[in-house]
């Protein structure tokens, strides 16, 4: 390259991200709190949150979740990042109180198969 010439970078979308996932998460491989299912809903805590000082990926999550809640899987797809990376980023944002989450409702226990069978048989008799 000659002196004074500008360096030009060309990006290929098919090549993937320029930054490795472990760099985005600062080397962490999992969230501190393990409460993020694929269907956990995420929304920005305050829609007026300023993202100019955040790294690009957390800022993108905040921006995606401003208007309506999104599932963890939707966020990962929207950012084209592995779910494991998104979970670490969500954990950081949650600890910073920049997002709110709602986990899926867990049933206390699975319904009794005999009860389900009795209901089916009762419906058939109608």
């Amino acid at each position: 390259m000659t002196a004074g010439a500008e360096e030009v970078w060309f990006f290929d979308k098919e090549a993937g991200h320029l930054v490795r996932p472990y760099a985005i998460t600062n080397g962490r491989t999992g969230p501190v709190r393990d409460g993020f299912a694929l269907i956990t809903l995420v929304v920005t805590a305050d829609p007026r949150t300023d993202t100019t000082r955040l790294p690009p990926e957390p800022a993108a999550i905040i921006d995606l979740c401003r208007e309506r809640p999104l599932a963890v899987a939707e966020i990962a797809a929207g950012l084209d990042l592995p779910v494991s990376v998104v979970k670490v980023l969500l954990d950081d944002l949650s600890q910073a109180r920049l997002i709110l989450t709602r986990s899926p409702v867990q049933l206390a226990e699975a319904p009794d198969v005999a009860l389900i069978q009795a209901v089916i048989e009762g419906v058939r008799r109608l």
Side-chain angles (χ1 to χ4, degrees), residues 32-89:
V32 173
R33 118 184 143 108
D34 190 28
F36 297 106
L38 290 176
I39 59 174
T40 297
L41 294 177
V42 179
V43 68
T44 303
D46 181 357
R48 299 168 293 169
T49 300
D50 180 22
T51 59
T52 55
R53 294 184 180 198
L54 290 175
E57 293 79 10
I61 291 172
I62 299 273
D63 290 337
L64 278 174
C65 300
R66 276 185 207 279
E67 299 296 320
R68 65 182 181 91
L70 292 176
V72 171
E74 292 175 298
I75 296 168
L79 297 178
D80 193 28
L81 286 172
V83 173
S84 59
V85 171
V86 170
K87 286 181 178 182
V88 171
L89 296 173

Side-chain angles (χ1 to χ4, degrees), residues 105-111:
V105 176
Q106 298 291 327
L107 295 176
E109 58 183 70

